[in-house]
PDB file of all heavy atoms in Angstrom:
ATOM      1  N   PRO L 194    -105.734 201.155-116.483  1.00 46.00           N
ATOM      2  CA  PRO L 194    -106.968 200.880-117.238  1.00 46.00           C
ATOM      3  C   PRO L 194    -107.760 202.114-117.643  1.00 46.00           C
ATOM      4  O   PRO L 194    -108.749 202.035-118.313  1.00 46.00           O
ATOM      5  CB  PRO L 194    -107.788 200.082-116.233  1.00 46.00           C
ATOM      6  CG  PRO L 194    -107.373 200.627-114.919  1.00 46.00           C
ATOM      7  CD  PRO L 194    -105.917 201.008-115.044  1.00 46.00           C
ATOM      8  N   ASP L 195    -107.267 203.312-117.251  1.00 54.00           N
ATOM      9  CA  ASP L 195    -108.105 204.495-117.442  1.00 54.00           C
ATOM     10  C   ASP L 195    -107.219 205.646-117.970  1.00 54.00           C
ATOM     11  O   ASP L 195    -106.472 206.245-117.227  1.00 54.00           O
ATOM     12  CB  ASP L 195    -108.744 204.914-116.115  1.00 54.00           C
ATOM     13  CG  ASP L 195    -109.614 206.164-116.238  1.00 54.00           C
ATOM     14  OD1 ASP L 195    -109.846 206.585-117.385  1.00 54.00           O
ATOM     15  OD2 ASP L 195    -110.070 206.653-115.206  1.00 54.00           O
ATOM     16  N   PRO L 196    -107.332 205.942-119.282  1.00 53.00           N
ATOM     17  CA  PRO L 196    -106.498 207.032-119.839  1.00 53.00           C
ATOM     18  C   PRO L 196    -106.732 208.370-119.165  1.00 53.00           C
ATOM     19  O   PRO L 196    -105.836 209.239-119.183  1.00 53.00           O
ATOM     20  CB  PRO L 196    -106.911 207.060-121.323  1.00 53.00           C
ATOM     21  CG  PRO L 196    -107.455 205.701-121.569  1.00 53.00           C
ATOM     22  CD  PRO L 196    -108.112 205.271-120.307  1.00 53.00           C
ATOM     23  N   SER L 197    -107.869 208.593-118.536  1.00 58.00           N
ATOM     24  CA  SER L 197    -108.127 209.872-117.897  1.00 58.00           C
ATOM     25  C   SER L 197    -107.276 210.105-116.669  1.00 58.00           C
ATOM     26  O   SER L 197    -107.263 211.170-116.100  1.00 58.00           O
ATOM     27  CB  SER L 197    -109.621 209.996-117.533  1.00 58.00           C
ATOM     28  OG  SER L 197    -109.961 209.063-116.495  1.00 58.00           O
ATOM     29  N   GLN L 198    -106.564 209.032-116.217  1.00 55.00           N
ATOM     30  CA  GLN L 198    -105.694 209.199-115.054  1.00 55.00           C
ATOM     31  C   GLN L 198    -104.456 210.033-115.359  1.00 55.00           C
ATOM     32  O   GLN L 198    -103.707 210.364-114.461  1.00 55.00           O
ATOM     33  CB  GLN L 198    -105.287 207.834-114.532  1.00 55.00           C
ATOM     34  CG  GLN L 198    -106.384 207.068-113.813  1.00 55.00           C
ATOM     35  CD  GLN L 198    -105.869 205.763-113.281  1.00 55.00           C
ATOM     36  OE1 GLN L 198    -104.892 205.217-113.757  1.00 55.00           O
ATOM     37  NE2 GLN L 198    -106.513 205.257-112.237  1.00 55.00           N
ATOM     38  N   CYS L 199    -104.227 210.346-116.615  1.00 61.00           N
ATOM     39  CA  CYS L 199    -102.994 211.056-116.962  1.00 61.00           C
ATOM     40  C   CYS L 199    -103.302 212.125-117.993  1.00 61.00           C
ATOM     41  O   CYS L 199    -104.079 211.901-118.927  1.00 61.00           O
ATOM     42  CB  CYS L 199    -101.972 210.062-117.498  1.00 61.00           C
ATOM     43  SG  CYS L 199    -100.299 210.707-117.589  1.00 61.00           S
ATOM     44  N   VAL L 200    -102.703 213.295-117.834  1.00 69.00           N
ATOM     45  CA  VAL L 200    -102.916 214.374-118.807  1.00 69.00           C
ATOM     46  C   VAL L 200    -101.566 214.822-119.294  1.00 69.00           C
ATOM     47  O   VAL L 200    -100.573 214.845-118.558  1.00 69.00           O
ATOM     48  CB  VAL L 200    -103.661 215.574-118.142  1.00 69.00           C
ATOM     49  CG1 VAL L 200    -105.071 215.189-117.786  1.00 69.00           C
ATOM     50  CG2 VAL L 200    -102.915 216.094-116.915  1.00 69.00           C
ATOM     51  N   ILE L 201    -101.474 215.168-120.591  1.00 74.00           N
ATOM     52  CA  ILE L 201    -100.225 215.652-121.147  1.00 74.00           C
ATOM     53  C   ILE L 201     -99.987 217.084-120.691  1.00 74.00           C
ATOM     54  O   ILE L 201    -100.800 217.963-120.954  1.00 74.00           O
ATOM     55  CB  ILE L 201    -100.235 215.571-122.688  1.00 74.00           C
ATOM     56  CG1 ILE L 201    -100.163 214.115-123.133  1.00 74.00           C
ATOM     57  CG2 ILE L 201     -99.099 216.362-123.288  1.00 74.00           C
ATOM     58  CD1 ILE L 201    -100.120 213.933-124.629  1.00 74.00           C
ATOM     59  N   THR L 202     -98.894 217.286-120.006  1.00 80.00           N
ATOM     60  CA  THR L 202     -98.481 218.616-119.598  1.00 80.00           C
ATOM     61  C   THR L 202     -97.195 219.023-120.298  1.00 80.00           C
ATOM     62  O   THR L 202     -96.787 220.166-120.232  1.00 80.00           O
ATOM     63  CB  THR L 202     -98.238 218.656-118.062  1.00 80.00           C
ATOM     64  OG1 THR L 202     -97.311 217.660-117.731  1.00 80.00           O
ATOM     65  CG2 THR L 202     -99.531 218.414-117.309  1.00 80.00           C
ATOM     66  N   GLY L 203     -96.532 218.077-120.952  1.00 87.00           N
ATOM     67  CA  GLY L 203     -95.240 218.311-121.553  1.00 87.00           C
ATOM     68  C   GLY L 203     -94.107 217.879-120.611  1.00 87.00           C
ATOM     69  O   GLY L 203     -94.345 217.522-119.469  1.00 87.00           O
ATOM     70  N   GLU L 204     -92.900 217.909-121.161  1.00 91.00           N
ATOM     71  CA  GLU L 204     -91.747 217.479-120.397  1.00 91.00           C
ATOM     72  C   GLU L 204     -91.291 218.525-119.392  1.00 91.00           C
ATOM     73  O   GLU L 204     -91.527 219.727-119.580  1.00 91.00           O
ATOM     74  CB  GLU L 204     -90.582 217.186-121.360  1.00 91.00           C
ATOM     75  CG  GLU L 204     -90.783 215.967-122.225  1.00 91.00           C
ATOM     76  CD  GLU L 204     -91.696 216.192-123.412  1.00 91.00           C
ATOM     77  OE1 GLU L 204     -92.277 217.303-123.550  1.00 91.00           O
ATOM     78  OE2 GLU L 204     -91.877 215.250-124.208  1.00 91.00           O
ATOM     79  N   ARG L 205     -90.701 218.069-118.300  1.00 92.00           N
ATOM     80  CA  ARG L 205     -90.106 218.977-117.319  1.00 92.00           C
ATOM     81  C   ARG L 205     -88.678 219.353-117.724  1.00 92.00           C
ATOM     82  O   ARG L 205     -87.984 218.565-118.350  1.00 92.00           O
ATOM     83  CB  ARG L 205     -90.100 218.367-115.924  1.00 92.00           C
ATOM     84  CG  ARG L 205     -91.469 218.137-115.297  1.00 92.00           C
ATOM     85  CD  ARG L 205     -91.274 217.625-113.857  1.00 92.00           C
ATOM     86  NE  ARG L 205     -92.538 217.466-113.184  1.00 92.00           N
ATOM     87  CZ  ARG L 205     -93.122 216.275-112.976  1.00 92.00           C
ATOM     88  NH1 ARG L 205     -92.551 215.172-113.479  1.00 92.00           N
ATOM     89  NH2 ARG L 205     -94.269 216.153-112.348  1.00 92.00           N
ATOM     90  N   THR L 206     -88.261 220.510-117.293  1.00 97.00           N
ATOM     91  CA  THR L 206     -86.856 220.867-117.398  1.00 97.00           C
ATOM     92  C   THR L 206     -86.121 220.361-116.156  1.00 97.00           C
ATOM     93  O   THR L 206     -86.664 220.232-115.074  1.00 97.00           O
ATOM     94  CB  THR L 206     -86.648 222.386-117.513  1.00 97.00           C
ATOM     95  OG1 THR L 206     -87.224 223.013-116.321  1.00 97.00           O
ATOM     96  CG2 THR L 206     -87.348 222.928-118.748  1.00 97.00           C
ATOM     97  N   GLU L 207     -84.826 220.073-116.342  1.00 97.00           N
ATOM     98  CA  GLU L 207     -83.992 219.654-115.226  1.00 97.00           C
ATOM     99  C   GLU L 207     -82.527 219.897-115.565  1.00 97.00           C
ATOM    100  O   GLU L 207     -82.183 220.272-116.692  1.00 97.00           O
ATOM    101  CB  GLU L 207     -84.224 218.148-114.903  1.00 97.00           C
ATOM    102  CG  GLU L 207     -83.812 217.189-116.053  1.00 97.00           C
ATOM    103  CD  GLU L 207     -84.141 215.746-115.709  1.00 97.00           C
ATOM    104  OE1 GLU L 207     -85.087 215.500-114.937  1.00 97.00           O
ATOM    105  OE2 GLU L 207     -83.435 214.862-116.203  1.00 97.00           O
ATOM    106  N   PHE L 208     -81.660 219.735-114.570  1.00 98.00           N
ATOM    107  CA  PHE L 208     -80.222 219.656-114.803  1.00 98.00           C
ATOM    108  C   PHE L 208     -79.828 218.197-114.818  1.00 98.00           C
ATOM    109  O   PHE L 208     -80.054 217.479-113.825  1.00 98.00           O
ATOM    110  CB  PHE L 208     -79.443 220.384-113.701  1.00 98.00           C
ATOM    111  CG  PHE L 208     -79.339 221.868-113.836  1.00 98.00           C
ATOM    112  CD1 PHE L 208     -80.033 222.572-114.806  1.00 98.00           C
ATOM    113  CD2 PHE L 208     -78.514 222.585-112.972  1.00 98.00           C
ATOM    114  CE1 PHE L 208     -79.948 223.950-114.916  1.00 98.00           C
ATOM    115  CE2 PHE L 208     -78.382 223.941-113.061  1.00 98.00           C
ATOM    116  CZ  PHE L 208     -79.105 224.637-114.050  1.00 98.00           C
ATOM    117  N   HIS L 209     -79.265 217.718-115.944  1.00 97.00           N
ATOM    118  CA  HIS L 209     -78.846 216.311-116.026  1.00 97.00           C
ATOM    119  C   HIS L 209     -77.908 216.167-117.215  1.00 97.00           C
ATOM    120  O   HIS L 209     -78.352 216.237-118.364  1.00 97.00           O
ATOM    121  CB  HIS L 209     -80.068 215.423-116.199  1.00 97.00           C
ATOM    122  CG  HIS L 209     -79.803 213.976-115.931  1.00 97.00           C
ATOM    123  ND1 HIS L 209     -80.813 213.062-115.738  1.00 97.00           N
ATOM    124  CD2 HIS L 209     -78.646 213.284-115.835  1.00 97.00           C
ATOM    125  CE1 HIS L 209     -80.295 211.875-115.518  1.00 97.00           C
ATOM    126  NE2 HIS L 209     -78.959 211.982-115.592  1.00 97.00           N
ATOM    127  N   PRO L 210     -76.633 215.929-116.957  1.00 98.00           N
ATOM    128  CA  PRO L 210     -75.989 215.966-115.643  1.00 98.00           C
ATOM    129  C   PRO L 210     -75.643 217.378-115.254  1.00 98.00           C
ATOM    130  O   PRO L 210     -75.734 218.289-116.049  1.00 98.00           O
ATOM    131  CB  PRO L 210     -74.692 215.204-115.926  1.00 98.00           C
ATOM    132  CG  PRO L 210     -74.354 215.531-117.333  1.00 98.00           C
ATOM    133  CD  PRO L 210     -75.669 215.652-118.043  1.00 98.00           C
ATOM    134  N   TYR L 211     -75.300 217.556-113.984  1.00 97.00           N
ATOM    135  CA  TYR L 211     -74.636 218.807-113.633  1.00 97.00           C
ATOM    136  C   TYR L 211     -73.117 218.567-113.612  1.00 97.00           C
ATOM    137  O   TYR L 211     -72.658 217.436-113.783  1.00 97.00           O
ATOM    138  CB  TYR L 211     -75.160 219.428-112.309  1.00 97.00           C
ATOM    139  CG  TYR L 211     -75.387 218.494-111.161  1.00 97.00           C
ATOM    140  CD1 TYR L 211     -74.495 218.379-110.134  1.00 97.00           C
ATOM    141  CD2 TYR L 211     -76.585 217.775-111.046  1.00 97.00           C
ATOM    142  CE1 TYR L 211     -74.726 217.552-109.042  1.00 97.00           C
ATOM    143  CE2 TYR L 211     -76.825 216.935-109.969  1.00 97.00           C
ATOM    144  CZ  TYR L 211     -75.896 216.838-108.968  1.00 97.00           C
ATOM    145  OH  TYR L 211     -76.145 216.026-107.904  1.00 97.00           O
ATOM    146  N   ARG L 212     -72.334 219.629-113.452  1.00 98.00           N
ATOM    147  CA  ARG L 212     -70.882 219.461-113.522  1.00 98.00           C
ATOM    148  C   ARG L 212     -70.207 220.115-112.321  1.00 98.00           C
ATOM    149  O   ARG L 212     -69.013 219.865-112.105  1.00 98.00           O
ATOM    150  CB  ARG L 212     -70.343 219.996-114.800  1.00 98.00           C
ATOM    151  CG  ARG L 212     -70.617 221.469-115.106  1.00 98.00           C
ATOM    152  CD  ARG L 212     -70.306 221.779-116.550  1.00 98.00           C
ATOM    153  NE  ARG L 212     -71.274 221.184-117.428  1.00 98.00           N
ATOM    154  CZ  ARG L 212     -71.140 221.104-118.774  1.00 98.00           C
ATOM    155  NH1 ARG L 212     -70.087 221.627-119.353  1.00 98.00           N
ATOM    156  NH2 ARG L 212     -72.061 220.550-119.501  1.00 98.00           N
ATOM    157  N   ALA L 213     -70.918 220.970-111.573  1.00 98.00           N
ATOM    158  CA  ALA L 213     -70.357 221.601-110.405  1.00 98.00           C
ATOM    159  C   ALA L 213     -71.428 221.676-109.327  1.00 98.00           C
ATOM    160  O   ALA L 213     -72.602 221.991-109.612  1.00 98.00           O
ATOM    161  CB  ALA L 213     -69.831 222.980-110.715  1.00 98.00           C
ATOM    162  N   LEU L 214     -71.032 221.361-108.065  1.00 98.00           N
ATOM    163  CA  LEU L 214     -71.969 221.357-106.940  1.00 98.00           C
ATOM    164  C   LEU L 214     -71.269 222.021-105.762  1.00 98.00           C
ATOM    165  O   LEU L 214     -70.128 221.667-105.411  1.00 98.00           O
ATOM    166  CB  LEU L 214     -72.346 219.923-106.608  1.00 98.00           C
ATOM    167  CG  LEU L 214     -73.117 219.698-105.283  1.00 98.00           C
ATOM    168  CD1 LEU L 214     -74.510 220.339-105.377  1.00 98.00           C
ATOM    169  CD2 LEU L 214     -73.250 218.206-105.006  1.00 98.00           C
ATOM    170  N   TRP L 215     -71.967 222.966-105.150  1.00 98.00           N
ATOM    171  CA  TRP L 215     -71.511 223.617-103.886  1.00 98.00           C
ATOM    172  C   TRP L 215     -72.616 223.411-102.889  1.00 98.00           C
ATOM    173  O   TRP L 215     -73.727 223.908-103.045  1.00 98.00           O
ATOM    174  CB  TRP L 215     -71.225 225.095-104.129  1.00 98.00           C
ATOM    175  CG  TRP L 215     -71.074 225.937-102.909  1.00 98.00           C
ATOM    176  CD1 TRP L 215     -71.998 226.833-102.405  1.00 98.00           C
ATOM    177  CD2 TRP L 215     -69.934 226.042-102.050  1.00 98.00           C
ATOM    178  NE1 TRP L 215     -71.501 227.471-101.306  1.00 98.00           N
ATOM    179  CE2 TRP L 215     -70.249 227.015-101.066  1.00 98.00           C
ATOM    180  CE3 TRP L 215     -68.683 225.414-102.019  1.00 98.00           C
ATOM    181  CZ2 TRP L 215     -69.330 227.340-100.057  1.00 98.00           C
ATOM    182  CZ3 TRP L 215     -67.777 225.745-101.003  1.00 98.00           C
ATOM    183  CH2 TRP L 215     -68.106 226.727-100.046  1.00 98.00           C
ATOM    184  N   THR L 216     -72.331 222.674-101.830  1.00 98.00           N
ATOM    185  CA  THR L 216     -73.305 222.372-100.763  1.00 98.00           C
ATOM    186  C   THR L 216     -72.858 223.060 -99.488  1.00 98.00           C
ATOM    187  O   THR L 216     -71.704 222.904 -99.062  1.00 98.00           O
ATOM    188  CB  THR L 216     -73.400 220.861-100.521  1.00 98.00           C
ATOM    189  OG1 THR L 216     -73.777 220.196-101.736  1.00 98.00           O
ATOM    190  CG2 THR L 216     -74.390 220.538 -99.433  1.00 98.00           C
ATOM    191  N   ARG L 217     -73.767 223.792 -98.894  1.00 98.00           N
ATOM    192  CA  ARG L 217     -73.440 224.563 -97.693  1.00 98.00           C
ATOM    193  C   ARG L 217     -74.181 223.979 -96.477  1.00 98.00           C
ATOM    194  O   ARG L 217     -75.422 223.844 -96.512  1.00 98.00           O
ATOM    195  CB  ARG L 217     -73.835 226.040 -97.916  1.00 98.00           C
ATOM    196  CG  ARG L 217     -73.089 227.022 -97.030  1.00 98.00           C
ATOM    197  CD  ARG L 217     -73.465 228.413 -97.387  1.00 98.00           C
ATOM    198  NE  ARG L 217     -74.776 228.811 -96.832  1.00 98.00           N
ATOM    199  CZ  ARG L 217     -75.367 229.946 -97.072  1.00 98.00           C
ATOM    200  NH1 ARG L 217     -74.777 230.864 -97.885  1.00 98.00           N
ATOM    201  NH2 ARG L 217     -76.527 230.255 -96.538  1.00 98.00           N
ATOM    202  N   ARG L 218     -73.441 223.648 -95.425  1.00 98.00           N
ATOM    203  CA  ARG L 218     -74.045 223.083 -94.205  1.00 98.00           C
ATOM    204  C   ARG L 218     -73.729 223.996 -93.029  1.00 98.00           C
ATOM    205  O   ARG L 218     -72.565 224.299 -92.758  1.00 98.00           O
ATOM    206  CB  ARG L 218     -73.449 221.668 -93.939  1.00 98.00           C
ATOM    207  CG  ARG L 218     -73.507 220.760 -95.159  1.00 98.00           C
ATOM    208  CD  ARG L 218     -72.921 219.376 -94.848  1.00 98.00           C
ATOM    209  NE  ARG L 218     -72.585 218.647 -96.044  1.00 98.00           N
ATOM    210  CZ  ARG L 218     -73.408 217.911 -96.766  1.00 98.00           C
ATOM    211  NH1 ARG L 218     -74.671 217.796 -96.376  1.00 98.00           N
ATOM    212  NH2 ARG L 218     -72.971 217.253 -97.817  1.00 98.00           N
ATOM    213  N   GLN L 219     -74.791 224.399 -92.334  1.00 96.00           N
ATOM    214  CA  GLN L 219     -74.657 225.312 -91.205  1.00 96.00           C
ATOM    215  C   GLN L 219     -75.462 224.823 -90.014  1.00 96.00           C
ATOM    216  O   GLN L 219     -76.691 224.985 -90.031  1.00 96.00           O
ATOM    217  CB  GLN L 219     -75.110 226.723 -91.623  1.00 96.00           C
ATOM    218  CG  GLN L 219     -74.299 227.332 -92.764  1.00 96.00           C
ATOM    219  CD  GLN L 219     -74.800 228.702 -93.196  1.00 96.00           C
ATOM    220  OE1 GLN L 219     -75.031 228.927 -94.373  1.00 96.00           O
ATOM    221  NE2 GLN L 219     -74.997 229.600 -92.262  1.00 96.00           N
ATOM    222  N   PRO L 220     -74.807 224.232 -89.016  1.00 97.00           N
ATOM    223  CA  PRO L 220     -73.374 223.955 -88.896  1.00 97.00           C
ATOM    224  C   PRO L 220     -72.993 222.622 -89.546  1.00 97.00           C
ATOM    225  O   PRO L 220     -73.877 221.860 -89.967  1.00 97.00           O
ATOM    226  CB  PRO L 220     -73.169 223.889 -87.391  1.00 97.00           C
ATOM    227  CG  PRO L 220     -74.448 223.311 -86.901  1.00 97.00           C
ATOM    228  CD  PRO L 220     -75.537 223.907 -87.776  1.00 97.00           C
ATOM    229  N   SER L 221     -71.718 222.340 -89.557  1.00 98.00           N
ATOM    230  CA  SER L 221     -71.213 221.110 -90.119  1.00 98.00           C
ATOM    231  C   SER L 221     -71.517 219.944 -89.205  1.00 98.00           C
ATOM    232  O   SER L 221     -71.304 220.038 -87.984  1.00 98.00           O
ATOM    233  CB  SER L 221     -69.698 221.199 -90.358  1.00 98.00           C
ATOM    234  OG  SER L 221     -69.168 219.924 -90.614  1.00 98.00           O
ATOM    235  N   PRO L 222     -71.973 218.811 -89.754  1.00 98.00           N
ATOM    236  CA  PRO L 222     -72.145 217.613 -88.921  1.00 98.00           C
ATOM    237  C   PRO L 222     -70.836 216.936 -88.575  1.00 98.00           C
ATOM    238  O   PRO L 222     -70.797 216.025 -87.766  1.00 98.00           O
ATOM    239  CB  PRO L 222     -73.010 216.693 -89.794  1.00 98.00           C
ATOM    240  CG  PRO L 222     -72.649 217.083 -91.197  1.00 98.00           C
ATOM    241  CD  PRO L 222     -72.429 218.568 -91.156  1.00 98.00           C
ATOM    242  N   HIS L 223     -69.718 217.419 -89.174  1.00 98.00           N
ATOM    243  CA  HIS L 223     -68.406 216.809 -88.954  1.00 98.00           C
ATOM    244  C   HIS L 223     -67.557 217.576 -87.950  1.00 98.00           C
ATOM    245  O   HIS L 223     -66.475 217.089 -87.561  1.00 98.00           O
ATOM    246  CB  HIS L 223     -67.627 216.752 -90.269  1.00 98.00           C
ATOM    247  CG  HIS L 223     -68.241 215.952 -91.361  1.00 98.00           C
ATOM    248  ND1 HIS L 223     -69.057 216.530 -92.328  1.00 98.00           N
ATOM    249  CD2 HIS L 223     -68.224 214.633 -91.615  1.00 98.00           C
ATOM    250  CE1 HIS L 223     -69.471 215.567 -93.146  1.00 98.00           C
ATOM    251  NE2 HIS L 223     -68.997 214.414 -92.749  1.00 98.00           N
ATOM    252  N   SER L 224     -67.947 218.798 -87.543  1.00 98.00           N
ATOM    253  CA  SER L 224     -67.050 219.645 -86.798  1.00 98.00           C
ATOM    254  C   SER L 224     -67.303 219.631 -85.278  1.00 98.00           C
ATOM    255  O   SER L 224     -68.426 219.925 -84.836  1.00 98.00           O
ATOM    256  CB  SER L 224     -67.179 221.098 -87.283  1.00 98.00           C
ATOM    257  OG  SER L 224     -66.428 221.974 -86.457  1.00 98.00           O
ATOM    258  N   PRO L 225     -66.275 219.355 -84.476  1.00 96.00           N
ATOM    259  CA  PRO L 225     -66.445 219.407 -83.020  1.00 96.00           C
ATOM    260  C   PRO L 225     -66.470 220.847 -82.498  1.00 96.00           C
ATOM    261  O   PRO L 225     -66.732 221.049 -81.285  1.00 96.00           O
ATOM    262  CB  PRO L 225     -65.203 218.668 -82.510  1.00 96.00           C
ATOM    263  CG  PRO L 225     -64.185 218.812 -83.576  1.00 96.00           C
ATOM    264  CD  PRO L 225     -64.946 218.843 -84.851  1.00 96.00           C
TER     265      PRO L 225
END
Side-chain angles (χ1 to χ4, degrees):
D195 180 9
S197 67
Q198 287 183 334
C199 195
V200 294
I201 288 183
T202 56
E204 291 78 357
R205 292 185 178 102
T206 60
E207 64 182 29
F208 278 8
H209 195 164
Y211 41 101
R212 59 193 70 191
L214 171 65
W215 166 256
T216 301
R217 202 176 78 184
R218 310 180 198 274
Q219 297 178 232
S221 167
H223 300 95
S224 173

